[in-house]
Amino acid sequence: RIFNGRKYILEKALPADFSLIRANKSDTFGNLEYIGTSRAFNPAMATASKITIAEVNEIVELGEIDPEKIGTPGVYVNRIVKRKPGDPYP
């Protein structure tokens, strides 16, 4: 396609039915807080898929996560699974 007189290659997005992502913390609404390298790819996948399932270390009440640290808003998260203590970290 041509934008502002320049020719560009346009690629269609690859839709995902499910995304399985890992976060450090979630509130009861599904807002996710990430740590380390999980901040790179997980937020993008959560917004790109139809169903997002998040595995988290901790679930807290709504409002307990600093809004500046929310990497994925809860509107994109469909399910939250709390990680059991002692489960190996992948």
Side-chain angles (χ1 to χ4, degrees):
R1 295 185 66 180
I2 298 174
F3 296 97
N4 296 326
R6 291 189 66 180
K7 211 179 226 185
Y8 292 90
I9 295 174
L10 181 64
E11 295 182 12
K12 293 184 179 182
L14 298 173
D17 291 329
F18 293 93
S19 62
L20 305 173
I21 60 175
R22 181 95 163 80
N24 181 50
K25 192 185 295 185
S26 172
D27 63 21
T28 53
F29 187 72
N31 295 308
L32 302 177
E33 175 185 300
Y34 301 101
I35 57 172
T37 58
S38 63
R39 290 183 293 226
F41 191 64
N42 286 326
M45 280 309 301
T47 60
S49 61
K50 294 177 186 173
I51 304 291
T52 299
I53 302 167
E55 180 188 33
V56 299
N57 292 331
E58 181 182 4
I59 300 174
V60 297
E61 290 300 316
L62 184 61
E64 288 188 36
I65 298 177
D66 178 3
E68 294 292 324
K69 293 185 178 182
I70 293 175
T72 300
V75 70
Y76 295 108
V77 179
N78 302 94
R79 301 285 186 272
I80 305 166
V81 178
K82 187 174 183 311
R83 184 173 167 261
K84 293 179 184 176
D87 281 352
Y89 187 82

